[in-house]
Amino acid sequence: MSSAKADRPVRIANCSGFFGDRLAAAAQLLNSGEPIDVLTGDWLAELTMSILAKNRGRGRAGYARTFIAQMNQVLGTCLQRGIKVVSNAGGIDPQGCADQVRAVAGRLGMPISVAVVDGDDLTDRIDELRSAGELLRHLDTRDPWRGDTGDVVAANAYLGGHAITAGLAAGADVVITGRVADAAVVTGAAAWWHGWSPDDVDALAGATVAGHAIECGTQVTGGNLAFFTEVADLTEPGFPIAEIAHNGSSVITKAANTGGTVSVDSVSAQLLYEIAGPRYPVPDVVARFDSVRLHQLGRDRVQISTVRGEPAPSHAKALLTFPGGYRNAMTLAITGTGRRAKAELGERAVWAQIPGGRERFAESLVEVVGASLDSEAPDDQSYLRISVADPDADAVGREFSSAVVATALGSYPGLYLTTPPGAASEFMVGWPTLIDVARLDPRAQLDGKTLTVAKPVTVAPLIADTPRTPCATDIADTELVEITIGDYLGARSGDKGGNANLGLWVREKRLLPLLDHLTDPVRLPQMFKEFGRHQIRVFPLPNLLAVNIVVVGLLGNGVAASLREDPQAKSLGERFRAARTSVPAALLPDLTHMEN
């Protein structure tokens, strides 16, 4: 990269936030007239790796075919304009994905250099790693993995961006990766553009925060925003662009004349998505989210600054994927009066039809979704959802679903089923763990040549952040006011393995005492009953006027295996905002003077 270019920020656009995102996004970005240096996209998630692993087992593509569809639309334009493409769409077959990109260029009659980043695939190395002393302990439970190596359909380490940097520095037009950290496609490109070394921790941390901001596409441009009614047009929000400067600071924006918004709220919401404590570890650096400051520069332009970094961690995250058994779910509608009694009868009747009852299954979950069981409004609808999982496919298949159907004429009045009886479906379990980075070998290959990948000189053990300690005080003698939480807080929720993440923020500093009161670890399970059986970790992020809450184990064994109706906790934030609770009146400022 020439020094003339490196003197200005690199403009990195994101055209995908997940496997299944808007297919026209890349073309819309390139046709917007906005200057773009690098086009990136994020196709991978824990659920996606399970899907791709299943595909590979069935002889199908182990990469994101939708990425190839986008390249058919825009690759020629990218090559003509000198726009680099960096994507993790390679999944568990980055070489196969790269071959398809080369085929697209061949049909266009255009020369192309495609770099492939791999070294993340550990599927055939598990026994070797165990022999070397890796216990493959679960990230949350700390239990060592004791499974059969032959059952593992995919095992991948999360690599960083340095191999991407190597590919771009060697002249690649396109870089295809396997499993890398979500932000790595951005940090690798920014490090190439600005010539950062692997030990430029503050710059890399800043790029990591920018990468985290845009990795989920339109979630940073107003998508899923708590205050969505304030956004003029969310019909089709524009995809984001990060302008990353030499010092790692950035501006998040989007193409002009596209829907959505880029605001402190929209960026705050995305920064809080799927994180844990203030330290955000990726293979390249540990970014300190408690150092981040946001500033609205103008319409659809938010600056991210003052980000501080710590040395790269000595261990990298890895995910083992293996079959977990079979599952099934049936849903019974409940309406009218006496709903709580109806739900109790419906559940008893179902278990009575199954030899051995509920204990017959390795795992079961009963949820009430929809309207509260205390509602008696005729137009409100509640649903009793019963889910089961077991290694025995027959037990959770028609034996279970037919047993539910058998109660239909002998249970509570008004019962009807929203799901037909069906067979069980197999599910995969994701086992998150840590691997010593010394045992990993990130590789970059370009046109048959293996490239040198730089590594940080200094790595350090990851420092675990300490959650906030409970400090709830008695408010019995305090003047209390009942509020709807969402009138005061924004929220964004999601999943990280089996844990649910709930990010909450306020829009001005004088509401921080209210946020502090509502998020006391003792008070949270009193307000939100489903938290009661789980460890709750609360991490304040005062620079962002925010906290992040981790509810350990709320999602069971993770999205691919969870029995919950909402296995990714997407609705958790809005359900929390809809809750009503009593708070000290002194914590409530005059809302007529609140600033947006």
Side-chain angles (χ1 to χ4, degrees):
M1 179 54 54
S2 70
S3 60
K5 285 186 177 180
D7 285 342
R8 70 168 176 84
V10 58
R11 290 177 57 88
I12 302 176
N14 178 294
C15 67
S16 176
F18 71 105
F19 191 0
D21 211 341
R22 192 190 312 164
L23 196 59
Q28 290 170 347
L29 277 164
L30 267 62
N31 294 333
S32 69
E34 296 285 343
I36 295 171
D37 301 305
V38 183
L39 181 69
T40 66
D42 180 17
W43 271 263
L44 301 184
E46 292 172 356
L47 178 60
T48 312
M49 296 302 286
S50 295
I51 294 171
L52 294 177
K54 281 186 176 182
N55 285 350
R56 180 168 65 177
R58 295 166 181 165
R60 302 174 186 170
Y63 53 83
R65 290 179 293 178
T66 50
F67 168 70
I68 303 303
Q70 286 193 327
M71 290 298 97
N72 275 305
Q73 298 173 3
V74 305
L75 183 59
T77 301
C78 289
L79 293 172
Q80 289 172 353
R81 296 185 190 174
I83 299 172
K84 304 293 187 179
V85 178
V86 181
S87 171
N88 65 8
I92 59 176
D93 185 13
Q95 187 61 63
C97 186
D99 289 343
Q100 290 297 312
V101 172
R102 295 186 186 101
V104 173
R107 290 193 292 272
L108 295 171
M110 303 180 74
I112 191 171
S113 291
V114 183
V116 175
V117 172
D118 62 11
D120 62 296
D121 192 346
L122 308 176
T123 310
D124 296 328
R125 296 186 57 201
I126 297 176
D127 288 335
E128 168 204 333
L129 292 168
R130 282 171 148 177
S131 297
E134 295 285 355
L135 297 179
L136 306 178
R137 292 186 181 277
H138 193 284
L139 268 180
D140 298 309
T141 67
R142 304 306 299 155
D143 293 331
W145 188 67
R146 303 186 189 279
D148 187 337
T149 301
D151 292 336
V152 176
V153 296
N156 298 82
Y158 290 62
L159 303 182
H162 299 316
I164 295 171
T165 303
L168 292 171
D173 303 301
V174 177
V175 180
I176 303 296
T177 79
R179 196 40 163 139
V180 295
D182 295 343
V185 294
V186 171
T187 60
W192 157 72
W193 182 273
H194 291 299
W196 297 333
S197 82
D199 291 292
D200 287 328
V201 293
D202 286 345
L204 286 168
T208 296
V209 175
H212 180 68
I214 70 171
E215 70 187 35
C216 290
T218 54
Q219 276 200 166
V220 79
T221 61
N224 302 338
L225 183 63
F227 308 112
F228 73 100
T229 57
E230 299 175 12
V231 182
D233 181 15
L234 263 181
T235 306
E236 191 174 87
F239 276 72
I241 300 170
E243 302 171 354
I244 304 176
H246 187 269
N247 64 357
S249 64
S250 63
V251 174
I252 307 301
T253 185
K254 66 181 184 67
N257 302 316
T258 59
T261 186
V262 180
S263 65
V264 168
D265 278 328
S266 73
V267 176
S268 294
Q270 177 55 27
L271 292 186
L272 293 171
Y273 184 61
E274 295 183 348
I275 65 170
R279 288 178 170 85
Y280 185 76
V282 293
D284 302 325
V285 72
V286 177
R288 294 294 301 258
F289 272 52
D290 53 355
S291 67
V292 175
R293 293 189 181 276
L294 303 180
H295 179 64
Q296 191 85 41
L297 297 180
R299 180 177 179 180
D300 296 325
R301 293 182 65 80
V302 171
Q303 182 185 56
I304 300 175
S305 63
T306 70
V307 184
R308 295 292 174 260
E310 294 175 348
S314 58
H315 287 72
K317 182 180 176 181
L319 185 73
L320 279 62
T321 303
F322 48 88
Y326 299 85
R327 63 183 173 188
N328 206 345
M330 294 290 287
T331 303
L332 297 74
I334 306 174
T335 191
T337 61
R339 297 188 190 195
R340 194 168 298 280
K342 290 174 179 177
E344 293 171 355
L345 173 57
E347 182 182 349
R348 287 200 313 271
V350 167
W351 298 133
Q353 293 298 310
I354 298 168
R358 187 170 188 172
E359 288 69 31
R360 165 66 183 84
F361 305 103
E363 187 179 0
S364 62
L365 179 68
V366 178
E367 298 175 280
V368 174
V369 296
S372 166
L373 292 179
D374 296 324
S375 173
E376 296 189 351
D379 293 332
D380 282 353
Q381 191 67 64
S382 308
Y383 299 93
L384 184 70
R385 186 175 186 271
I386 303 177
S387 307
V388 293
D390 198 83
D392 184 348
D394 291 335
V396 297
R398 285 300 182 107
E399 291 181 22
F400 163 72
S401 58
S402 295
V404 178
V405 172
T407 70
L409 300 184
S411 189
Y412 58 84
L415 184 156
Y416 65 90
L417 303 175
T418 67
T419 46
S425 59
E426 186 180 28
F427 66 89
M428 296 287 173
V429 172
W431 183 276
T433 188
L434 295 175
I435 301 290
D436 190 328
V437 295
R439 306 192 200 282
L440 301 179
D441 183 26
R443 297 185 298 264
Q445 296 181 339
L446 178 66
D447 300 330
K449 179 183 178 182
T450 299
L451 307 175
T452 300
V453 176
K455 296 182 179 180
V457 174
T458 303
V459 297
L462 184 63
I463 300 172
D465 291 306
T466 302
R468 173 186 168 186
T469 56
C471 58
T473 56
D474 186 7
I475 57 174
D477 297 329
T478 305
E479 180 187 358
L480 300 178
V481 177
E482 187 175 60
I483 65 167
T484 299
I485 293 174
D487 289 342
Y488 297 86
L489 308 184
R492 169 68 54 78
S493 59
D495 66 295
K496 188 63 71 174
N499 299 339
N501 289 263
L502 175 62
L504 304 170
W505 78 96
V506 295
R507 297 169 114 178
E508 59 172 308
K509 286 184 177 179
R510 58 179 173 160
L511 283 174
L512 280 175
L514 175 63
L515 179 64
D516 182 72
H517 173 84
L518 291 172
T519 58
D520 188 285
V522 169
R523 191 167 283 114
L524 281 166
Q526 298 170 359
M527 293 167 37
F528 219 61
K529 299 301 182 185
E530 66 186 279
F531 290 177
R533 300 186 305 274
H534 301 275
Q535 180 187 1
I536 300 173
R537 302 169 184 163
V538 179
F539 300 99
L541 295 165
N543 278 7
L544 294 174
L545 307 184
V547 300
N548 188 58
I549 300 166
V550 179
V551 187
V552 179
L554 185 68
L555 307 179
N557 290 319
V559 56
S562 178
L563 295 182
R564 292 174 64 93
E565 183 193 42
D566 177 14
Q568 293 179 285
K570 297 288 189 180
S571 66
L572 178 60
E574 284 304 291
R575 289 192 294 114
F576 188 85
R577 293 182 71 240
R580 292 186 61 79
T581 189
S582 295
V583 301
L587 297 178
L588 302 180
D590 181 358
L591 287 183
T592 61
H593 295 98
M594 285 181 62
E595 299 176 1
N596 292 340

